[in-house]
Amino acid sequence: MSSSSTSAQPREATADTVESPLLEVRDLHVEFRTRDGVAKAVNGVNYSVRAGETLAILGESGSGKSVTAQAVMGILDSPPGFVTGGQIVFKGRDLLTLGKEDRRKVRGSQMAMIFQDALSSLNPVHSVGSQLGEMYRVHKGSSRQDAKAKAIELMDRVRIPAAKARVGDYPHQFSGGMRQRIMIAMALALEPDLIIADEPTTALDVTVQAQVMDLLAELQGEYHMGLILITHDLGVVADVADKIAVMYAGRIVETAPVHELYAKPAHPYTRGLLDSIPRLDQKGQELYAIKGLPPNLLRIPPGCAFNPRCPRAQEICRTTVPPLFEVTDEAGTPRPGRASACHFWKETLDD
Amino acid sequence: MTDGATALSAPVPQGAAFTKPVPEGEPILQIRDLVKHFPLTQGVVVKKQIGAVKAVDGVSFDLRKGETLGIVGESGCGKSTLAKVLMNLEPATSGSVRYKGEEISRLSGAALKAVRRNIQMVFQDPYTSLNPRMTVGDIIGEPYEIHPEVAPKGERRKAVQDLLDVVGLNPEYINRYPHQFSGGQRQRIGIARGLALKPEVIICDEPVSALDVSVQAQVINLLEKLQNEFELSYIFIAHDLSIVRHISDRVGVMYLGKMVEIGSDLEIYDHATHPYTQALLSAVPVPDPAARQVRDRIVLTGDVPSPADPPSGCRFRTRCWKAQERCAIEEPLLAVPSWLDGLAAHESACHFAAEREIEQSAAEREIEQSAAERGAEGGTEAETERAAGQEDGSADGDDAR
Ligand SMILES: Nc1ncnc2c1ncn2[C@@H]1O[C@H](COP(=O)(O)OP(=O)(O)O)[C@@H](O)[C@H]1O
Ligand SMILES: Nc1ncnc2c1ncn2[C@@H]1O[C@H](COP(=O)(O)OP(=O)(O)O)[C@@H](O)[C@H]1O
Ligand code: SF4
Ligand code: SF4
Ligand SMILES: [Mg+2]
Ligand SMILES: [Mg+2]
């Protein structure tokens, strides 16, 4: 594991340093203050990721996945967005307590982000080589020549064919899949400890998606990075994640190791998502569909935010916000890594 | 440049064949050697044609009455162009489209209008395909302006409200604007508009791709319900192979402007014989973590060639692991290979068409087993042929530009 010693603030340096996560988001709240009102985009998110681990954040659009990631990266659009509570503990330090300059340093060299739309994240008027090289020039003070050599090395690393010949090409001269590789190369340049990939393959064809995900997983293993993979695709999650956090209306509603989540979900929303995947034995029948729509974040329903759509909802669900319950087995032993924000998690688990 | 097909228009007698009903299972649309080339020109004042993007290049298939034909393939392979040509939104370069036996390209005037009425389309993006300045009522009722015979002026409001009801929206929303609706609701509005003229065929171009998982299922269910209710025939274009399998009776696979394989859902998904279909199916992530161990992914090598300059012979040969000399010389035709039998005997455009050793159904059985005894990671991951990533194409970037 990469050193977790960087000027640790004492109160976060707990006894289990070895086991302590690379990143821990605790009870994070983010809101957007707009003309129409306050949109509560993130309402108490908790998750953690260790070095070498892949955490998938699964959720429908608007559930707050990207905003949470932006808050972690320190690139939240502010105003209108404000972090109104919580902690983002990265390698023992709460990033929310850092000044602008320190924050920028962490973002530049220790964590990096890959976006869905590579074309709009890359600068169209600079060659990919100069954009890759700039990382070294700015952060490491490399010479122009060294930077170019590094850029070619990186392009090779993400398997862009004929890297040497293409280092001077512009982003639009590459295909979608190749551009996504360039984004990965940019993120890798300074060998960060954490990569956040926000829907990295959503815009790509399945054949290309498979290659890009393979590459990402391989590099992550090699550099022993933590990877947060944001997606709405249950197939991609099943393919690469170690553990999953399911988001709904700005909260994590369930966390679990990947196999357990698919085999035995403990939240009705997760359950509904899994049930709405077309299955072979259901051909010709109606697909299971979660009724209704995700809530308007300006008017999140009281109690459990999922209650208007939930087949299991009871009176308590309309009045009391379910905390994130620890999920245990029959004997009451906690199942590692499992939690569910449902009053009836046990019943759901037993279904 | 003129498009041959439209130049052929000739008057059609009243009471043409296409006004008669077609029995279930008979072809309602017959597409033969359909070609759509977009000319590539050079020069500003005097435009000189220097080539053509062969977006659709000789596609033949039938759409049967009451069925859903799924069409899959990577982006840029010509699916949307095919849809637009069938819709008459783009003139065909050559080839034939018969609607109930009647050649569409020969129709004009009232007869053409009548055919157009019967083939409607639902578009992918519910955000850009609806005019933001029109009310929902005007959007859904717009087709009546061109076809007033379907709903005379006085009855339009009622007709639109009925349609809203049919697609599961509150009829009172008739005066609202698109931005007041969610993505799934907008797609319902698009579907209502597609239904307005009581068509017999609806071409759905990626109708749920822009929607969230939970909403996708609702829209798929709606499409299936409407099909039963109104005896619709669907061409369903999508890239989500599991949704296509769910909704389709038959599936056609396109590659670089060609149909490379077509058959029943079972034939395509469990008994694919074309290497491209096999690669495409193997790349789809399966929503089951236990499947990781038995994944037997085919990783394609080489770029998707440009549709302006497709490879000679078999277009897939530059990425095909089975390619032989013959593949560069002789174009494989879409036909049932004589050497195959059982479910493998369906139309496939490959000189060496054959099922894969590990067929889908066997793999699935394994998945179930391994779900129980999951443990060590790796296995097939390592065996999987990993080709250095040079395979994604020039074609997949087209949409972005
Ligand atoms: N720049 C912004 N201004 C106002 N509201 C925003 C902004 N960015 C995000 N939001 C709000 O936050 C919600 C969650 O957004 P996001 O995190 O992007 O969702 P997703 O889960 O799809 O990534 C959005 O529905 C929106 O209401
Ligand atoms: N109007 C047009 N002019 C020139 N080329 C086009 C036009 N429309 C589509 N194409 C090209 O035709 C090919 C097929 O595109 P399309 O039918 O949209 O594919 P798909 O829907 O399968 O993604 C692509 O290479 C695309 O760039
Ligand atoms: S708390 Fe109630 S409404 Fe919420 S998911 Fe659980 S059962 Fe459904
Ligand atoms: S014809 Fe040849 S190149 Fe084409 S798919 Fe078959 S084996 Fe491959
Ligand atoms: Mg997002
Ligand atoms: Mg398309």
Side-chain angles (χ1 to χ4, degrees):
Chain A
M1 177 172 161
S2 43
S3 82
S4 52
S5 62
T6 350
S7 70
Q9 291 194 338
R11 85 195 145 79
E12 295 304 341
T14 43
D16 54 341
T17 333
V18 189
E19 274 295 295
S20 78
L22 179 65
L23 174 77
E24 197 173 357
V25 176
R26 295 181 192 155
D27 199 29
L28 185 71
H29 287 72
V30 180
E31 61 185 39
F32 288 92
R33 300 173 191 155
T34 67
R35 266 187 310 149
D36 302 332
V38 176
K40 296 202 180 286
V42 178
N43 306 300
V45 158
N46 294 282
Y47 62 61
S48 69
V49 62
R50 291 170 201 287
E53 189 175 56
T54 300
L55 166 72
I57 313 270
L58 182 74
E60 295 182 80
S61 60
S63 58
K65 305 182 297 295
S66 297
V67 169
T68 306
Q70 286 156 11
V72 170
M73 284 293 292
I75 54 169
L76 192 65
D77 191 11
S78 181
F82 297 91
V83 174
T84 54
Q87 295 176 312
I88 299 171
V89 182
F90 179 64
K91 300 210 287 186
R93 289 197 295 182
D94 182 359
L95 298 181
L96 294 175
T97 64
L98 296 186
K100 258 204 168 112
E101 189 52 27
D102 286 338
R103 201 70 204 274
R104 201 186 57 76
K105 276 191 200 139
V106 171
R107 175 163 71 242
S109 57
Q110 297 174 42
M111 51 170 77
M113 192 154 168
I114 299 167
F115 300 91
Q116 169 175 346
D117 183 2
L119 197 57
S120 63
S121 328
L122 292 167
N123 189 331
V125 301
H126 292 291
S127 71
V128 301
S130 85
Q131 292 183 59
L132 284 168
E134 190 183 309
M135 306 287 289
Y136 294 99
R137 290 204 305 276
V138 171
H139 290 278
K140 300 242 160 108
S142 306
S143 71
R144 207 157 264 280
Q145 210 163 17
D146 284 353
K148 185 176 171 187
K150 279 284 191 189
I152 295 171
E153 195 184 308
L154 268 179
M155 286 170 73
D156 269 332
R157 200 70 206 74
V158 296
R159 304 209 202 95
I160 292 171
K164 214 171 187 154
R166 300 208 67 181
V167 68
D169 284 358
Y170 292 85
H172 74 267
Q173 293 174 289
F174 291 86
S175 67
M178 285 300 150
R179 281 198 292 268
Q180 207 51 278
R181 286 173 198 269
I182 293 163
M183 284 286 292
I184 293 174
M186 297 267 275
L188 281 176
L190 303 172
E191 303 190 11
D193 303 301
L194 175 71
I195 287 197
I196 303 179
D198 192 351
E199 311 260 7
T201 59
T202 302
L204 305 176
D205 273 312
V206 282
T207 48
V208 181
Q209 179 180 325
Q211 299 154 11
V212 172
M213 284 315 306
D214 278 0
L215 176 69
L216 203 53
E218 187 188 311
L219 294 170
Q220 180 215 4
E222 200 169 304
Y223 292 99
H224 202 59
M225 297 177 293
L227 174 64
I228 297 179
L229 177 70
I230 298 171
T231 179
H232 63 266
D233 187 326
L234 287 152
V236 170
V237 171
D239 233 20
V240 298
D242 297 313
K243 61 184 193 185
I244 302 184
V246 182
M247 272 192 92
Y248 189 80
R251 284 191 79 195
I252 301 292
V253 294
E254 177 163 14
T255 59
V258 63
H259 290 273
E260 290 193 42
L261 186 107
Y262 282 75
K264 264 177 154 293
H267 194 284
Y269 176 61
T270 314
R271 177 78 204 243
L273 285 179
L274 292 171
D275 283 350
S276 56
I277 301 169
R279 288 209 327 252
L280 286 185
D281 54 344
Q282 290 174 332
K283 171 115 183 151
Q285 296 169 29
E286 243 190 28
L287 280 177
Y288 176 80
I290 300 175
K291 67 179 183 193
L293 301 169
N296 181 334
L297 296 177
L298 297 170
R299 286 183 296 277
I300 296 178
C304 172
F306 187 56
N307 86 69
R309 309 177 74 188
C310 183
R312 183 153 247 147
Q314 306 288 321
E315 201 42 46
I316 184 180
C317 306
R318 287 180 269 275
T319 55
T320 312
V321 176
L324 201 54
F325 293 101
E326 195 170 60
V327 172
T328 60
D329 62 20
E330 267 117 72
T333 323
R335 303 179 78 121
R338 292 211 64 171
S340 164
C342 172
H343 294 299
F344 301 100
W345 63 265
K346 204 173 229 144
E347 290 78 356
T348 309
L349 193 68
D350 289 344
D351 263 357
Chain B
M1 168 177 165
T2 51
D3 285 284
T6 41
L8 294 171
S9 47
V12 165
Q14 285 289 320
F18 64 77
T19 54
K20 299 186 188 90
V22 174
E24 195 81 11
E26 291 292 311
I28 186 163
L29 276 181
Q30 288 168 294
I31 289 96
R32 294 292 176 271
D33 301 317
L34 192 67
V35 173
K36 176 65 194 180
H37 289 181
F38 295 104
L40 287 169
T41 55
Q42 204 172 44
V44 185
V45 185
V46 183
K47 286 211 160 67
K48 204 174 91 194
Q49 187 174 341
I50 51 164
V53 176
K54 296 169 180 160
V56 173
D57 205 19
V59 163
S60 304
F61 64 90
D62 287 350
L63 176 68
R64 297 173 194 154
K65 167 92 175 156
E67 81 168 346
T68 299
L69 173 68
I71 302 221
V72 299
E74 286 164 290
S75 59
C77 70
K79 304 181 298 294
S80 295
T81 304
L82 173 65
K84 285 180 196 148
V85 172
L86 295 180
M87 279 296 294
N88 254 308
L89 292 174
E90 294 270 7
T93 304
S94 66
S96 134
V97 178
R98 282 170 183 273
Y99 173 71
K100 297 186 180 175
E102 205 77 40
E103 181 61 51
I104 301 188
S105 55
R106 261 200 288 274
L107 303 179
S108 63
L112 181 61
K113 226 171 115 181
V115 171
R116 281 194 172 174
R117 195 194 119 182
N118 277 312
I119 308 177
Q120 293 293 320
M121 189 154 170
V122 174
F123 295 91
Q124 164 170 11
D125 190 347
Y127 293 90
T128 57
S129 61
L130 306 179
N131 185 335
R133 280 182 292 277
M134 285 167 73
T135 64
V136 165
D138 291 338
I139 290 170
I140 298 174
E142 197 181 18
Y144 298 140
E145 299 290 329
I146 306 158
H147 297 274
E149 74 280 7
V150 183
K153 262 222 149 67
E155 292 168 26
R156 277 186 207 167
R157 196 181 160 81
K158 172 83 174 60
V160 168
Q161 287 186 321
D162 286 350
L163 284 167
L164 282 170
D165 190 45
V166 160
V167 299
L169 291 174
N170 188 336
E172 284 165 23
Y173 291 171
I174 187 161
N175 291 322
R176 294 198 180 180
Y177 289 86
H179 72 88
Q180 294 174 286
F181 294 89
S182 70
Q185 289 172 325
R186 284 184 228 205
Q187 200 52 294
R188 287 173 192 265
I189 295 167
I191 293 170
R193 179 175 58 185
L195 287 172
L197 298 175
K198 308 194 174 97
E200 300 199 51
V201 176
I202 296 188
I203 300 172
C204 306
D205 190 2
E206 310 257 9
V208 297
S209 307
L211 305 179
D212 272 314
V213 190
S214 77
V215 181
Q216 274 184 3
Q218 296 172 359
V219 173
I220 293 290
N221 285 342
L222 172 66
L223 286 169
E224 296 208 285
K225 185 193 93 169
L226 295 173
Q227 179 166 47
N228 294 336
E229 216 165 296
F230 301 108
E231 298 182 352
L232 298 167
S233 311
Y234 287 147
I235 291 180
F236 188 94
I237 298 169
H239 63 257
D240 183 325
L241 291 149
S242 63
I243 287 183
V244 169
R245 177 163 202 177
H246 178 82
I247 199 171
S248 303
D249 302 299
R250 289 191 308 136
V251 178
V253 183
M254 282 185 76
Y255 186 77
L256 262 186
K258 295 268 184 198
M259 192 73 85
V260 297
E261 184 164 8
I262 189 166
S264 70
D265 65 304
L266 200 62
E267 288 169 340
I268 298 298
Y269 282 82
D270 288 353
H271 302 274
T273 65
H274 196 284
Y276 177 63
T277 309
Q278 291 164 352
L280 196 61
L281 288 173
S282 81
V284 180
V286 182
D288 175 356
R292 272 191 220 181
Q293 301 196 313
V294 294
R295 272 304 270 287
D296 186 19
R297 199 188 274 163
I298 304 166
V299 178
L300 295 176
T301 52
D303 279 352
V304 177
S306 159
D309 184 23
S312 65
C314 176
R315 290 186 181 195
F316 185 55
R317 74 176 160 83
T318 52
R319 303 168 84 195
C320 182
W321 64 99
K322 283 167 77 177
Q324 306 284 321
E325 213 170 305
R326 179 180 170 196
C327 305
I329 303 160
E330 193 187 330
E331 182 178 338
L333 299 178
L334 184 64
V336 181
S338 57
W339 57 93
L340 296 176
D341 52 25
L343 286 167
H346 57 266
E347 286 177 274
S348 177
C350 172
H351 295 307
F352 307 102
E355 283 189 61
R356 269 183 94 192
E357 299 288 295
I358 306 147
E359 38 175 287
Q360 194 98 357
S361 45
E364 271 157 14
R365 246 174 277 127
E366 262 182 88
I367 290 169
E368 274 157 33
Q369 272 173 20
S370 72
E373 49 184 43
R374 135 117 196 137
E377 191 77 327
T380 43
E381 283 280 299
E383 288 155 36
T384 307
E385 179 195 343
R386 279 177 192 276
Q390 46 196 225
E391 34 287 325
D392 62 39
S394 40
D396 72 23
D398 285 337
D399 286 345
R401 265 172 247 152

